[in-house]
Amino acid sequence: SITATSSGVNTTIAYKGVKGTNNSTAITLEFTPTDTTNFNTVTTTYNVSKVSQLSGSISLSEKTATYTGSAIIANTATTNSGGTVTYVYYSDNSCSTKTTTSTGASSEGGAPIDAGTYYVKATVNSTNNYTSASTGCIKHTINKKSVAVTWGDTTTFTYNNTAQAPTATATSSITGETINITRTTGTNAGSYTSTASCSSVTGGRAKCDNYNFTGSTKDFTINKASPTISLSATNGSVDYNSTNNDSQLSAKDILLK
């Protein structure tokens, strides 16, 4: 800044004009004395060299977060200039392909929502004293949300000629998102391991790929069924006597129920 004063004389000072070039600025001042009888009005021009801007700098650290159903923004960048910082997000490590709404970004290059590996570049604008600056491509990771599978208590079944397995459920804990679970089953008598997986997600981002499951397997058993057996005589009653024996009942007289 420039402060104009006069020595020993009461004056008023007026700025008469400022002319600038790329390298300097000319400031014209007019000194008007209070005592115009003894002092003249003086006009003086000062050339002030411009000071070159300092180099701006900016740094940004990698971020790792977990899927929340909302946009995950980058860490706050650090600058030496105090300028405004903007962030642009990309889906590749060369920062050439910006994120899109398919990743949950509100607009092209916006902060993503879905789990995945992204990259972000931060830029600080220039100020009166500092040039603009940008970071490189900084890794920005959103991990899948881990969800525990809850299995039903029944793990022993009896053969009934239908597919059977323990029940399985999972809760997303994300507002508006419901996870729908499917699991493998068994039909014949034997020992099995049921594996649960995501069949769909209702609401929100509606993507199974934003979740992984813990405790996703459960052992269970299907026991053999015990048939009901009854005997009937197809040709009337059979009375026991010394001439009757087991040969009088043929296989066709035994009914399995």
Side-chain angles (χ1 to χ4, degrees), residues 93-147:
N93 61 8
S94 62
C95 284
S96 59
T97 304
K98 294 180 181 179
T99 54
T100 64
T101 54
S102 66
T103 63
S106 59
S107 60
E108 186 179 54
I113 295 177
D114 293 334
T117 301
Y118 305 93
Y119 297 84
V120 59
K121 180 183 289 187
T123 299
V124 59
N125 67 347
S126 63
T127 65
N128 290 335
N129 297 318
Y130 291 89
T131 61
S132 63
S134 295
T135 65
C137 287
I138 307 301
K139 197 172 185 179
H140 184 82
T141 304
I142 303 176
N143 291 323
K144 296 181 179 184
K145 181 178 176 61
S146 292
V147 174

Side-chain angles (χ1 to χ4, degrees), residues 182-203:
T182 186
R183 83 276 193 238
T184 58
T185 60
T187 300
N188 295 324
S191 297
Y192 298 90
T193 298
S194 182
T195 301
S197 59
C198 177
S199 60
S200 64
V201 175
T202 304

Side-chain angles (χ1 to χ4, degrees), residues 31-115:
F31 295 82
T32 303
T34 303
D35 181 4
T36 57
T37 300
N38 297 305
F39 294 95
N40 294 318
T41 297
V42 177
T43 300
T44 302
T45 299
Y46 294 90
N47 289 314
V48 180
S49 297
K50 286 187 176 180
V51 177
S52 298
Q53 288 175 303
L54 298 175
S55 295
S57 65
I58 183 170
S59 61
L60 179 66
S61 60
E62 293 185 3
K63 183 163 190 172
T64 300
T66 300
Y67 174 74
T68 64
S70 300
I72 302 293
I73 62 173
N75 292 325
T76 301
T78 301
T79 75
N80 66 343
S81 67
T84 301
V85 178
T86 56
Y87 302 84
V88 180
Y89 299 81
Y90 301 84
S91 58
D92 64 308
N93 61 8
S94 62
C95 284
S96 59
T97 304
K98 294 180 181 179
T99 54
T100 64
T101 54
S102 66
T103 63
S106 59
S107 60
E108 186 179 54
I113 295 177
D114 293 334

Side-chain angles (χ1 to χ4, degrees), residues 169-181:
T169 59
T171 302
S172 73
S173 299
I174 300 295
T175 301
E177 292 198 4
T178 300
I179 299 174
N180 303 305
I181 292 292

